[in-house]
Amino acid sequence: MSTLLSVSIALLAGLLMTRAFKPFKLPSVTAYLIAGVLIGPYCMGQLGIAGLGFESSAAVHALSLVSEVALGFIAFSIGSEFVLDDIKKTGKQAFVIGILQAFVATLFVDLALVCVHLAMPEKLSVAQLITLGAIATATAPAATLMVVRQYKAKGPLTDLLLPIVALDDAVGLIVFAVSFGIAKTLVTGSVDLISIIVNPLVEIVCSLLLGAVMGWILTQLEKMFNSNTNRLNMTITFVFLTVALSMLDFHIGPVHISFSSLLVCMMLGTIFCNICPLSHDLMERADKWTSPLFALFFVISGAELELSVFTDFAIVFIGVVYIIFRSLGKYSGTFVSAKMTKCSPEICKYLGITLLPQAGVALGMCATAMQLGEQGNLIRNITLFAVLIYELVGPLLTRQALTAAGDIKPMSEEVKMRRQTKLEMAKNNKEA
């Protein structure tokens, strides 16, 4: 009962917050996150009133499975954007921009934090700054996708943005694995080449293979049904199954076999949308089914944000440096690489802004960083601080960038009049 009550309260709070924030014209994802913060353990949860909010971090973590499933559907939706004909047009640009912007963000954060280390060596070690530089690569696909969906963004920037966000996950895994391996060497004094080189490559290859196999099997099973309802049920079932399989974790000798659920589900969506002739209709139906799931995901994400990080001046200072230089790295890396690949002026100017949001992947990386012991705590807190700022501000900046680039169109007068007519008709029918 407590879990069901928590889910209900979270959804209700998120939906009501979108109404409260409507006059400010903020993206719904921002309203969901703020609702999560308010009902989280650091606000209403402190009152200790059952049903009013999450009373502890454990209560929030009890819904972690919801977040895993939601991320799976988010990745599945992003993967469905990888239509072969579109990749032929934008594939080279997405590949170059996706790799360069990630490396430039890491470089900028590393250089900035080296200066912080030289000024405050007792607060920030070399191992910590290297790890934070690697975490800077990660971009949150969830917030980006939600903004694109809410405002029905469509255009050259959006077509390039979604593949780059997907590629960013693979690049981030490699950069983080190598950087974290070096950080562990500095802390423990032992070099582990398998962890630094082999394991990240194995994770990426295995994730792509698993996603491809599951996508092919899903397409074959869809042929057994004539009803679109049953086909939709099969699609949803397979995303659940794929998320579950991506949680497998085992060793073969010294090699660690694991999967990235984001990469697995992205590949599932990519294969499915390219070989299944009915995929477009099924994806539209699935998008409607997942709307409350995504809302719940962001409310839970907001509740997970730890406001206690603001109490430590060192964390706030290092966090501000991290945010500023990661943002500069993402923007400048995207701008230069977009110029190199001859993108339009609008893409060069605004694409980098849409890559600022950071959440799930970064939090997964900082969870791994906890293996550094006491040094991992600082990394975790700084990442939490950055995620809090990026998740609250990032969606708004993404919307503004997409609007400025022309991918989000203002509501036409015709649509406004049609909506007004419907409202008046409904009002008249009610009075009658």
Side-chain angles (χ1 to χ4, degrees):
M1 179 180 174
S2 59
T3 301
L4 186 58
L5 182 61
S6 296
V7 168
S8 303
I9 294 297
L11 265 176
L12 183 61
L15 293 171
L16 291 177
M17 192 60 69
T18 61
R19 296 302 89 194
F21 275 46
K22 190 175 182 180
F24 303 104
K25 297 182 179 180
L26 292 174
S28 293
V29 60
T30 303
Y32 294 142
L33 287 163
I34 292 175
V37 171
L38 291 177
I39 67 171
Y42 295 94
C43 289
M44 290 185 180
Q46 292 285 319
L47 300 176
I49 302 174
L52 191 59
F54 295 101
E55 296 180 33
S56 65
S57 297
V60 181
H61 294 156
L63 300 179
S64 60
L65 184 61
V66 174
S67 298
E68 290 288 344
V69 172
L71 279 174
F73 277 100
I74 289 165
F76 181 65
S77 296
I78 292 176
S80 69
E81 301 291 333
F82 281 78
V83 180
L84 195 57
D85 292 338
D86 295 337
I87 292 176
K88 290 177 181 177
K89 298 175 186 176
T90 62
K92 181 182 177 182
Q93 292 174 328
F95 184 79
V96 172
I97 296 171
I99 292 177
L100 285 183
Q101 57 84 23
F103 279 110
V104 173
T106 296
L107 179 63
F108 271 49
V109 171
D110 279 345
L111 291 176
L113 293 183
V114 163
C115 296
V116 175
H117 166 70
L118 294 175
M120 301 188 303
E122 73 285 354
K123 290 290 185 181
L124 186 69
S125 70
V126 175
Q128 289 170 325
L129 72 87
I130 290 174
T131 305
L132 285 168
I135 293 174
T137 59
T139 298
T144 303
L145 181 65
M146 282 288 285
V147 173
V148 168
R149 279 190 180 179
Q150 180 183 351
Y151 296 99
K152 296 179 174 60
K154 192 174 183 181
L157 195 154
T158 304
D159 293 340
L160 196 56
L161 169 61
L162 294 178
I164 289 174
V165 169
L167 179 63
D168 194 79
D169 186 34
V171 176
L173 283 172
I174 295 174
V175 174
F176 179 77
V178 174
S179 299
F180 183 64
I182 295 171
K184 280 183 71 175
T185 299
L186 292 173
V187 173
T188 64
S190 60
V191 181
D192 186 358
L193 292 178
I194 291 179
S195 296
I196 297 174
I197 300 173
V198 177
N199 286 344
L201 293 177
V202 168
E203 180 175 348
I204 291 171
V205 172
C206 288
S207 297
L208 296 178
L209 282 175
L210 177 59
V213 170
M214 296 299 286
W216 182 84
I217 294 174
L218 172 59
T219 303
Q220 303 312 308
L221 291 177
E222 296 282 12
K223 297 175 183 177
M224 298 171 60
F225 301 94
N226 296 320
S227 165
N228 274 343
T229 299
N230 286 333
R231 290 188 182 118
L232 174 62
N233 293 339
M234 178 61 71
T235 304
I236 293 170
T237 300
F238 248 71
V239 176
F240 274 95
L241 178 59
T242 304
V243 171
L245 292 176
S246 67
M247 294 180 181
L248 292 173
D249 191 305
F250 54 94
H251 288 80
I252 298 179
V255 179
H256 181 209
I257 308 296
S258 61
F259 303 89
S260 164
S261 61
L262 282 174
L263 282 181
V264 175
C265 291
M266 281 178 191
M267 182 55 76
L268 171 71
T270 299
I271 298 298
F272 178 62
C273 76
N274 278 285
I275 68 176
C276 179
L278 301 169
S279 61
H280 181 72
D281 290 339
L282 292 173
M283 289 304 301
E284 285 188 348
R285 289 168 176 261
D287 288 347
K288 295 177 182 178
W289 182 88
T290 54
S291 179
L293 182 64
F294 290 174
L296 184 59
F297 166 76
F298 282 105
V299 175
I300 294 171
S301 298
E304 287 177 331
L305 298 176
E306 296 188 16
L307 304 184
S308 59
V309 296
F310 289 106
T311 60
D312 190 327
F313 173 77
I315 289 174
V316 172
F317 175 72
I318 298 171
V320 169
V321 172
Y322 172 89
I323 290 170
I324 291 173
F325 283 89
R326 177 183 177 271
S327 301
L328 289 173
K330 284 282 182 182
Y331 186 83
S332 59
T334 302
F335 184 86
V336 171
S337 54
K339 284 280 188 183
M340 288 170 51
T341 53
K342 299 179 180 179
C343 292
S344 67
E346 289 78 15
I347 290 176
C348 295
K349 187 174 181 180
Y350 297 112
L351 178 59
I353 298 172
T354 64
L355 297 175
L356 296 182
Q358 189 175 45
V361 179
L363 293 175
M365 290 176 176
C366 75
T368 303
M370 293 301 290
Q371 296 176 22
L372 296 178
E374 283 296 319
Q375 296 200 38
N377 289 328
L378 179 71
I379 296 170
R380 177 178 177 275
N381 289 333
I382 291 171
T383 306
L384 285 170
F385 173 81
V387 166
L388 176 62
I389 303 301
Y390 276 127
E391 283 297 271
L392 294 177
V393 178
L396 177 61
L397 294 177
T398 299
R399 189 201 68 184
Q400 291 176 335
L402 290 171
T403 302
D407 282 30
I408 294 178
K409 306 289 191 299
M411 191 184 297
S412 66
E413 290 299 322
E414 181 183 350
V415 174
K416 288 181 180 178
M417 289 180 63
R418 196 183 307 145
R419 287 192 175 184
Q420 186 63 34
T421 302
K422 286 183 178 179
L423 288 172
E424 290 176 357
M425 288 176 62
K427 184 178 179 181
N428 292 335
N429 290 335
K430 187 177 180 181
E431 291 176 351

